[in-house]
Amino acid sequence: MSLACGLPLLECVYCLACARWAWKRCLHSGEADSATWGLASAADFEPVPRMCRLVMANYEPDLSPTAPLLFAPPGGYGVDPACVLRRRTYADTRGRVTPYLLYLDHAHADIVLALRGLNLVKESDYALLLDNRLGKRRFDGGYVHNGLLRAAGWVLDAECDLLRELLERYPDYTLTFTGHSLGAGIAAMLTMVVVLNLDKLGNLDRSRTRCYAMAPARCMSLNLAVRYADVINSVVLQDDFLPRTATPLEDIFKSILCLPCLLCMRCLRDTCIPEDAMLKDPRRLYAPGRIYHIVERKMCRCGRYPPVVKTAVPVDGRFEHIVLSCNATADHAIIWIEREAQKALNLMMEEEDTLAVPTEQRMERNETLQREHVEEHRAALRRAVTLSVPDARVPSPYGTFDDDDGQQHPHRQLQPERSESFPPAGTRQRMSWNDLIERVFDKDEDGQIVLRSSVPP
């Protein structure tokens, strides 16, 4: 009798929980994720549309001047075919990584390696995504996606010599990794590995290395996402589902036939888990680095508005909830990201032209923004420690984070403490990139530094 009386009560509790979840989900809009963030500047955001076009160029079968362009945005790709130094297709990579190209951009003094996104008809791309499980791969004191890290190692093994030669030939050029979706995750992994092994590319300075990840998958733990925010930049368009999907990628594609059910269950579960509990899970993966959020729609309003770009290095509230929107998948497309990013950049440039800011004041403002970014990164690192994010640490004040040094060198990027997880420089020079990645050290239960147990003898 008592059991029968308790069933209606349980049903009421279940209905109330579902109603609360639906209410929170339906009222959550993409613009709310970055409501408290600051506005991005034109100087910071300028490379984004250009990087999108380089990623899109991977989809063209032929980039020669006489060949017709099939997917070019208005105005074309802005690519000089003679400066495409290398182009790899699926046949060249044998499914180890998505197609990519290496472009020497003389106009912007930049060496760019651009990777395309997921190809839905290629089994090798699915195999790359499925090569992971929660907590499978530790790297530099955190967790990363195993398949994406291995793909990054393959790229560096194939292109290391050419990259080193170009960096030595053009000492004033920057090295930029960029990609979309799956390629964005690989680009982020490339940047991490290169930054930890700058001597492998001819003692490259950290400030010459950067990454622009368009609509990236969650590929690294929170401590790494914040630590590398000075060199990795993620770009998210409004309601894009992938950077918000905490569901492991391998689970998504294993359940592709019932994806809506899976995402619904994940949303329901994540709604009931306190955010501080999520932050303390060291295996939970996040979108990498500094985030640029392009906002073009407002809640309960129809149509698109002039896009606005918000930026921050968030620790808590880092795109934790999926937005129930009919644009959640459309906002993931590289075509829409390029289009809206270019619109936003044009608006920023028009505003600066309207204000008629003198060149000297504009340069001073850019220097001020660089210092603000440095301080914002420091604050994010401190907040990660305050929130007890696993393996988060504030770098030593005696290194490049020193206040006096930062004032004397406003353009210098943050350089967190070098990880203890790599062999000495002389040994690294003789190792392949994949061997180098495999030989990352880990800490055992007693906190002692030990070699990975999976490293072959």
Side-chain angles (χ1 to χ4, degrees):
M1 183 66 181
S2 58
L3 180 61
C5 294
L7 287 177
L9 179 60
L10 290 175
E11 291 177 357
C12 290
V13 171
Y14 177 77
C15 291
L16 288 174
C18 291
R20 175 181 177 273
W21 171 80
W23 178 258
K24 291 182 67 176
R25 293 296 91 222
C26 293
L27 287 183
H28 182 70
S29 62
E31 63 173 331
D33 290 323
S34 58
T36 60
W37 298 4
L39 293 174
S41 67
D44 284 337
F45 195 69
E46 181 275 331
V48 172
R50 177 161 43 91
M51 295 301 158
C52 288
R53 289 190 285 271
L54 284 173
V55 172
M56 293 170 66
N58 279 291
Y59 292 84
E60 294 288 347
D62 189 355
L63 288 172
S64 61
T66 57
L69 299 179
L70 305 180
F71 311 106
Y77 297 111
V79 172
D80 181 1
C83 292
V84 179
L85 304 183
R86 185 157 294 172
R87 192 169 184 194
R88 300 287 192 182
T89 64
Y90 280 108
D92 299 319
T93 66
R94 301 188 300 277
R96 302 289 184 86
V97 66
T98 58
Y100 63 88
L101 59 83
L102 186 59
Y103 183 67
L104 185 59
D105 190 348
H106 292 292
H108 299 91
D110 202 5
I111 302 165
V112 184
L113 195 152
L115 301 104
R116 65 158 286 170
L118 174 72
N119 189 336
L120 294 175
V121 299
K122 285 290 183 180
E123 293 183 2
S124 58
D125 284 5
Y126 292 102
L128 186 62
L129 286 172
L130 296 175
D131 184 16
N132 191 56
R133 66 176 182 274
L134 195 63
K136 178 178 181 178
R137 173 56 68 96
R138 273 189 71 84
F139 184 83
D140 192 29
Y143 288 91
V144 297
H145 188 286
N146 182 64
L148 301 183
L149 184 63
R150 291 177 63 87
W154 191 95
V155 173
L156 290 171
D157 274 336
E159 311 300 343
C160 178
D161 293 338
L162 178 56
L163 289 175
R164 186 189 304 113
E165 178 185 343
L166 291 172
L167 290 167
E168 292 174 352
R169 186 187 306 172
Y170 303 101
D172 297 328
Y173 282 29
T174 53
L175 174 62
T176 303
F177 299 104
T178 187
H180 169 247
S181 188
L182 175 63
I186 299 173
M189 297 294 105
L190 282 165
T191 308
M192 287 179 56
V193 177
V194 166
V195 164
L196 285 169
N197 300 274
L198 296 172
D199 54 293
K200 289 272 285 183
L201 291 177
N203 292 320
L204 175 68
D205 189 75
R206 182 187 178 107
S207 62
R208 293 176 61 192
T209 308
R210 60 182 181 173
C211 169
Y212 288 93
M214 314 299 172
R218 293 183 167 221
C219 58
M220 62 181 67
S221 55
L222 184 56
N223 63 322
L224 298 179
V226 175
R227 189 188 310 165
Y228 288 93
D230 61 318
V231 290
I232 300 178
N233 305 278
S234 293
V235 181
V236 179
L237 176 59
Q238 186 84 17
D239 300 333
D240 188 358
F241 78 98
L242 194 59
R244 294 178 169 88
T245 306
T247 306
L249 295 177
E250 62 274 13
D251 290 347
I252 290 180
F253 288 94
K254 284 176 182 177
S255 309
I256 195 68
L257 296 179
C258 194
L259 181 58
C261 301
L262 177 65
L263 294 181
C264 182
M265 292 300 296
R266 282 281 179 169
C267 286
L268 183 60
R269 193 194 72 168
D270 289 347
T271 302
C272 300
I273 299 177
E275 187 168 343
D276 58 345
M278 297 181 188
L279 293 175
K280 292 179 181 178
D281 184 356
R283 304 169 302 167
R284 188 179 177 89
L285 303 183
Y286 291 81
R290 170 177 288 276
I291 297 180
Y292 290 88
H293 190 206
I294 305 173
V295 180
E296 57 171 356
R297 293 183 299 274
K298 299 181 180 180
M299 186 173 180
C300 300
R301 299 186 185 181
C302 299
R304 296 176 182 269
Y305 287 75
V308 175
V309 182
K310 303 286 193 74
T311 184
V313 185
V315 180
D316 45 340
R318 194 181 181 90
F319 290 136
E320 284 299 327
H321 302 293
I322 294 176
V323 178
L324 297 181
S325 166
C326 58
N327 297 294
T329 54
D331 285 349
H332 186 67
I334 186 65
I335 295 175
W336 278 108
I337 297 173
E338 187 276 334
R339 188 177 303 176
E340 298 304 320
Q342 187 62 58
K343 286 181 183 178
L345 180 61
N346 292 341
L347 290 172
M348 294 180 198
M349 299 298 293
E350 289 175 7
E351 183 178 357
E352 289 187 357
D353 293 340
T354 302
L355 295 174
V357 180
T359 303
E360 292 184 1
Q361 291 186 11
R362 189 173 299 183
M363 294 176 62
E364 291 177 358
R365 174 56 180 161
N366 290 338
E367 292 179 358
T368 302
L369 286 172
Q370 291 293 332
R371 288 193 291 268
E372 289 176 355
H373 281 188
V374 170
E375 183 55 38
E376 188 177 12
H377 189 196
R378 288 174 175 165
L381 290 166
R382 291 193 295 266
R383 180 157 181 77
V385 174
T386 302
L387 294 175
S388 302
V389 173
D391 297 311
R393 62 178 184 267
V394 178
S396 169
Y398 301 103
T400 55
F401 276 77
D402 184 73
D403 290 336
D404 294 335
D405 184 71
Q407 293 174 2
Q408 295 173 7
H409 304 281
H411 294 289
R412 183 173 295 175
Q413 298 289 340
L414 290 177
Q415 298 187 21
E417 292 177 341
R418 188 174 181 85
S419 170
E420 72 278 2
S421 41
F422 285 89
T427 304
R428 290 198 302 271
Q429 290 288 352
R430 299 188 297 270
M431 296 170 62
S432 73
W433 287 92
N434 262 319
D435 289 340
L436 194 60
I437 290 171
E438 291 295 339
R439 290 187 178 273
V440 172
F441 290 92
D442 278 342
K443 292 183 179 180
D444 61 14
E445 295 179 355
D446 298 326
Q448 301 298 317
I449 302 298
V450 296
L451 275 172
R452 287 177 52 89
S453 58
S454 60
V455 175

